[in-house]
Amino acid sequence: MKYKPTKFMLKTSHYDKAKADRAIAFISNLRHTKGKWSGKKFELLPWQEQIIRDIFGIVKENGKRQFTNAFVEIPKKNGKSELAAAVALYLLYADNEASAEVYGAAADRQQASIVFDVAKQMTEQSPALMKRSKIRSAQKRLINYSNAGFYQVLSSEVGTKHGLNVSGLVFDEIHAQPNRHLYDVLTKGSGDAREQPLFFIITTAGNNKESICYELHLKAKDIISGRKSDPTFYPVIYGLEENDDWTNEKNWYKANPSLGYTVNIEKARQWFNEARDNPAEENNFKQLRLNMWVNSEVRWIPEHIYNKGSGPIDFEALKGRECYGGLDLASTTDLAAFVLIFPPRTEYENYIIYPHFWLPKDTLELRCRRDHVMYDVWERQGYINATEGNVIHYAFIEKTIMDLSKIYNIKEIAHDRWEATQMVQNLQDEGFIMVPFGQGYKSMSPPMKEFYKLLLEGKIQHGGNPVLRWMAGNVVAETDEAENIKPSKKKSTEKIDGIVAAIMALDRCVRNAKKQESAYENRGLLIL
């Protein structure tokens, strides 16, 4: 293959071809262990070679690997176990790591043993590796005497894992983890004594969108799309999006890079026919064969629907127009949002959203490192206002609202009835109509459903504001028995304040429009 380094390289990193070639050469001398490939040399497919060259060939100025975390999400039968086993063996035998400690983990010991058993068979088929190895099958332990290292399968009990000195980790099917405890124990601080530990996570999609796997999935998608940045995290996702036609055979190739090699197209057609004829099999086919997340909480606004409103906004034309505000303040140490919505004046116009955001300046850098969200970039671009100090002084927000009221005709401002009562009073004293707004199903459901309907129809124009777009992708909707909905800050993966503020502002737009229509209906036309 013609190799092109990943776009996720640091400006200070570079591609070391010799190191990449070394990893490729090692793996290419291993042998496959399954099916018609058994006993044949491991010839990496293009997608596999890209991953290996990126992970082992992209290095920092000091020559150490840039990536410490690799997240590879791919459907079943694409050769992920073989690739994971090869990575584990390289880390044990060829990574030049003294006393290497490579661990295999999964939801249970049996699952973790799948990759280990492949690695064991690969070792047994290599006389060069067997000369320096001892295999303890019952303990699921592979020992390399030449560097005093080992590859050990772990059970799922968390309590005994603290204190490990991890140089390499292969975490298989992390989607099946019941919680994030084992992941945290094995990745947070466990490799601090190593100069270039590698946590290699390989999984299919899951069905629990409150899991550590979905958290990593969203992080990977955000990095791939440019919404987040983490130079230590290497993201790979092969799968279909919600709006992709899962019944179209051409799309199966998008999700399965080994289709036609390790995955037989006739077999894939058989799985599809079973799914098409049996609704109970449909989710299995989508999840396991097309790597689609199914049967759990979903992002409320699909990206392709939200993007309908990304057209540019003529702010000059908005001057003097009526609008309604939504205010979501959270706490003084967190992100605050104020959103204006301009209602359409004719049936041909759209609702226009104009958001404003604030964060404390002193904690901005910390938040970027901790959350891996590009607050600093958005602040430089003018999409976030950074207020002096380590808390948001509401006076800054009050001043912005006052300044905006001189440009636009702000009719009402909806706000969470439990937030910032003093600020609400101050704005009322300045002549603003402040409307308390509940955050439960009763208040939120009607405008939230209307917001989605308008997005679907392409009737909301947000101009592609990157902060609001990021928040739109974070929103998870909670539903009660009566099918009322509300935004869930608890279940949403990241901040959603701007969308909550927009929903509140839309409510005031719609209610006042109905009042005006009702007045005309009751009064009739006045003839002067």
Side-chain angles (χ1 to χ4, degrees):
M1 62 170 277
K2 186 175 181 181
Y3 171 73
K4 181 181 179 181
T6 179
K7 65 179 180 179
F8 309 116
M9 290 176 64
L10 282 169
K11 291 181 180 179
T12 55
S13 65
H14 68 279
Y15 174 62
D16 189 325
K17 185 176 183 299
K19 289 190 174 182
D21 286 346
R22 174 181 166 84
I24 296 295
F26 177 89
I27 294 174
S28 297
N29 279 293
L30 299 173
R31 294 186 181 276
H32 285 285
T33 64
K34 296 178 180 177
K36 66 178 182 179
W37 306 95
S38 181
K40 295 181 180 179
K41 283 196 172 184
F42 196 148
E43 293 185 11
L44 291 162
L45 295 173
W47 72 272
Q48 295 172 322
E49 183 173 342
Q50 179 78 37
I51 291 172
I52 297 301
R53 288 193 177 277
D54 283 346
I55 291 174
F56 293 103
I58 295 176
V59 297
K60 297 178 290 187
E61 289 178 326
N62 62 3
K64 302 302 179 183
R65 286 191 290 269
Q66 174 185 316
F67 301 110
T68 57
N69 297 272
F71 179 78
V72 181
E73 188 180 291
I74 191 166
K76 284 184 174 296
K77 302 301 179 182
N78 278 273
K80 71 180 183 63
S81 296
E82 303 272 316
L83 181 64
V87 168
L89 291 178
Y90 183 83
L91 293 172
L92 176 59
Y93 289 101
D95 204 29
N96 295 324
E97 185 74 31
S99 300
E101 292 185 25
V102 182
Y103 293 96
D108 54 53
R109 196 165 187 263
Q110 182 178 359
Q111 179 65 48
S113 297
I114 292 175
V115 174
F116 175 86
D117 289 341
V118 174
K120 168 180 169 288
Q121 293 176 55
M122 286 179 169
T123 303
E124 291 171 336
Q125 293 183 75
S126 171
L129 294 183
M130 279 302 294
K131 284 180 182 178
R132 39 184 169 151
S133 304
K134 183 173 181 63
I135 300 173
R136 295 178 177 172
S137 298
Q139 299 174 14
K140 300 297 180 184
R141 189 178 183 90
L142 175 58
I143 301 169
N144 174 14
Y145 285 118
S146 64
N147 70 357
F150 59 81
Y151 171 25
Q152 175 70 58
V153 170
L154 297 172
S155 59
S156 59
E157 290 77 24
V158 177
T160 61
K161 310 302 181 300
H162 291 282
L164 299 179
N165 187 9
V166 179
S167 61
L169 170 67
V170 173
F171 210 133
D172 190 26
E173 299 295 17
I174 197 171
H175 76 86
Q177 285 295 305
N179 53 53
R180 63 176 300 135
H181 297 323
L182 184 60
Y183 171 81
D184 285 341
V185 166
L186 294 177
T187 61
K188 309 297 184 188
S190 64
D192 288 354
R194 306 286 184 171
E195 289 189 291
Q196 51 175 9
L198 178 63
F199 307 124
F200 190 78
I201 302 161
I202 193 158
T203 187
T204 53
N207 56 18
N208 178 8
K209 294 190 176 180
E210 295 182 57
S211 64
I212 177 60
C213 185
Y214 194 64
E215 179 182 322
L216 294 170
H217 168 85
L218 293 182
K219 180 177 180 179
K221 287 191 70 175
D222 284 341
I223 292 173
I224 291 168
S225 66
R227 291 190 294 267
K228 283 188 178 182
S229 175
D230 182 352
T232 68
F233 190 96
Y234 180 72
V236 177
I237 297 178
Y238 284 99
L240 298 191
E241 301 290 343
E242 289 181 20
N243 58 317
D244 288 330
D245 181 2
W246 69 279
T247 66
N248 187 338
E249 188 173 299
K250 292 180 180 179
N251 284 335
W252 303 351
Y253 287 88
K254 173 184 173 182
N256 293 272
S258 298
L259 189 57
Y261 297 94
T262 62
V263 181
N264 182 285
I265 186 62
E266 291 301 326
K267 196 72 174 175
R269 289 168 182 157
Q270 178 186 331
W271 295 328
F272 169 70
N273 288 330
E274 291 172 358
R276 184 179 56 184
D277 297 337
N278 181 2
E281 291 294 327
E282 180 178 322
N283 274 352
N284 282 336
F285 182 79
K286 287 180 176 179
Q287 177 187 342
L288 303 179
R289 310 303 179 187
L290 300 179
N291 209 51
M292 300 176 73
W293 284 79
V294 296
N295 276 351
S296 191
E297 307 292 346
V298 297
R299 286 187 177 190
W300 177 53
I301 308 173
E303 190 172 12
H304 69 286
I305 291 176
Y306 185 78
N307 286 341
K308 290 182 178 183
S310 296
I313 295 172
D314 184 356
F315 288 99
E316 190 67 26
L318 294 176
K319 289 183 176 180
R321 276 185 55 177
E322 290 186 357
C323 58
Y324 296 83
L327 187 61
D328 192 339
L329 296 174
S331 68
T332 57
T333 59
D334 213 338
L335 190 145
F338 177 67
V339 175
L340 290 176
I341 292 190
F342 296 80
R345 296 165 298 184
T346 70
E347 62 178 307
Y348 303 106
E349 288 187 338
N350 296 329
Y351 288 85
I352 297 175
I353 298 180
Y354 186 19
H356 300 77
F357 303 98
W358 293 266
L359 272 176
K361 192 175 189 65
D362 288 358
T363 61
L364 193 64
E365 185 179 341
L366 173 64
R367 285 174 176 276
C368 293
R369 292 198 310 268
R370 184 191 66 193
D371 303 336
H372 304 297
V373 178
M374 296 186 294
Y375 294 121
D376 55 344
V377 174
W378 293 333
E379 190 265 338
R380 289 196 299 271
Q381 293 173 338
Y383 294 112
I384 287 180
N385 303 291
T387 65
E388 296 297 331
N390 58 6
V391 297
I392 297 174
H393 295 288
Y394 287 154
F396 287 105
I397 300 176
E398 290 179 34
K399 183 179 185 306
T400 299
I401 293 174
M402 292 293 297
D403 291 342
L404 289 170
S405 72
K406 297 173 184 176
I407 305 172
Y408 313 109
N409 183 8
I410 302 176
K411 305 296 289 183
E412 295 178 0
I413 298 175
H415 64 93
D416 184 343
R417 62 167 61 98
W418 303 110
E419 290 176 353
T421 54
Q422 185 58 55
M423 178 180 171
V424 170
Q425 186 61 55
N426 293 343
L427 290 171
Q428 284 179 329
D429 292 344
E430 294 292 340
F432 290 94
I433 299 175
M434 306 298 293
V435 182
F437 199 96
Q439 303 297 297
Y441 291 113
K442 181 179 178 180
S443 299
M444 277 289 178
S445 188
M448 191 171 173
K449 289 180 177 179
E450 181 68 12
F451 190 84
Y452 188 86
K453 174 178 171 288
L454 292 169
L455 280 172
L456 196 60
E457 294 171 347
K459 292 291 188 180
I460 284 184
Q461 192 172 352
H462 48 72
N465 180 289
V467 185
L468 195 67
R469 182 177 67 236
W470 169 66
M471 289 180 175
N474 295 332
V475 180
V476 168
E478 278 190 273
T479 307
D480 67 7
E481 294 180 357
E483 297 187 1
N484 295 306
I485 61 174
K486 67 176 181 179
S488 174
K489 289 190 175 182
K490 181 179 179 181
K491 293 183 179 180
S492 300
T493 55
E494 279 281 6
K495 301 297 179 187
I496 62 172
D497 311 72
I499 298 298
V500 172
I503 291 169
M504 292 194 291
L506 178 65
D507 179 83
R508 303 318 305 165
C509 282
V510 173
R511 287 180 184 274
N512 280 280
K514 287 181 178 178
K515 285 180 183 178
Q516 292 176 13
E517 291 171 4
S518 176
Y520 288 127
E521 289 171 2
N522 294 334
R523 183 188 63 198
L525 292 175
L526 293 179
I527 300 175
L528 301 177

